[in-house]
Amino acid sequence: MSPIELSPVTAVAVVLLALAGAAVALLGRLGHARAVLTACLRAAVQLGAVALIIVWAVDRPLAVAAFVLVMYGVASLTAGRRITSGRAVRWAAVPVAVGALPVLALLVGTGTVPLKGITLIPVAGILLGGCLTVTALAGRRAVDELVQRRGEVEAALALGFSERDAALEICRPAAAQALVPALDQTSTVGLVTLPGAFVGMLLGGASPLQAGVVQLVVLVALLAAEATAVLVTIELAARGRFPARR
């Protein structure tokens, strides 16, 4: 398989795919037609900028640290805005950090991931991206459940449950479903999907065995980080740190 090259044909294919996604959203009345185009445009601009920054930053430890911190900040802010509004948004930084940081520290500390910018940046990005997604999903499901089933929470309180325990009983089952996509991806890898790390290494010239080892490490690490992020998100929601949007 030859690498996908930057060419007019590639650019046309990407534009057509973006337009097709927007058209489906529009014709199907999904309400996200403009968002599809905006997301694709942002992805193109951001990836181009990031590629240039990474080329400059990979050999500069302080630049690598700054880059990872920026990714963390954006992930936390994005997840928080999906869950709630106002100053409560900042609480999303907790599950993102608690999920991604220990896993990244373990990978680096054991030497599984070399302490080099060229490996540290993408691995940190994968972990932070996964924690962003599950934090946003778990947080929204938890908040929605607590709002819609407030009567059940009050009934649990009447039975002697604490506010936290009553909230957990109601929101935990629904919010925990945020882990299902990661579980499905991990359990079907190689049978249904070939994730990005595997394909990327193959395109870069690595052997299938090397690509498989890297992808296994990434998937297991990602699942551990996401499980932790979901747990912390549910706990914060049960303690009222994520109020419903106003």
Side-chain angles (χ1 to χ4, degrees):
M1 181 183 294
S2 59
I4 298 174
E5 298 178 354
L6 178 61
S7 67
V9 174
T10 302
V12 170
V14 170
V15 170
L16 290 176
L17 288 171
L19 292 174
V24 169
L26 180 63
L27 295 175
R29 299 181 181 179
L30 302 180
H32 296 290
R34 180 175 296 180
V36 169
L37 293 177
T38 302
C40 292
L41 179 60
R42 286 187 59 176
V45 174
Q46 289 166 190
L47 285 173
V50 165
L52 295 175
I53 293 172
I54 289 178
V55 169
W56 171 81
V58 287
D59 295 323
R60 296 172 171 83
L62 290 179
V64 171
F67 194 88
V68 172
L69 285 174
V70 169
M71 289 194 294
Y72 166 64
V74 173
S76 301
L77 182 61
T78 303
R81 286 178 172 175
R82 292 292 186 188
I83 301 170
T84 185
S85 58
R87 300 185 66 182
V89 164
R90 61 186 178 180
W91 281 103
V94 178
V96 173
V98 175
L101 184 58
V103 174
L104 184 61
L106 176 64
L107 292 175
V108 173
T110 58
T112 304
V113 172
L115 191 57
K116 297 180 180 179
I118 196 63
T119 53
L120 194 59
I121 289 175
V123 171
I126 291 171
L127 294 175
L128 289 169
C131 289
L132 182 166
T133 300
V134 297
T135 297
L137 289 175
R140 290 190 67 166
R141 290 298 300 274
V143 171
D144 288 346
E145 288 291 296
L146 292 174
V147 170
Q148 296 171 11
R149 301 172 62 185
R150 182 61 193 172
E152 295 176 56
V153 175
E154 293 176 352
L157 291 173
L159 292 173
F161 284 75
S162 67
E163 183 75 29
R164 168 189 173 272
D165 291 342
L168 280 176
E169 287 296 316
I170 299 304
C171 74
R172 182 162 45 198
Q177 295 301 308
L179 266 183
V180 170
L183 290 170
D184 288 344
Q185 182 184 35
T186 304
S187 61
T188 63
V189 64
L191 299 176
V192 178
T193 60
L194 293 176
F198 184 86
V199 175
M201 290 201 65
L202 288 181
L203 292 175
S207 70
L209 181 59
Q210 289 175 315
V213 170
V214 170
Q215 186 62 71
L216 177 63
V217 170
V218 168
L219 283 175
V220 175
L222 189 57
L223 192 56
E226 291 184 354
T228 305
V230 168
L231 177 64
V232 176
T233 301
I234 294 173
E235 184 68 32
L236 289 173
R239 293 177 180 272
R241 298 297 186 264
F242 294 128
R245 289 175 176 273
R246 297 176 181 176

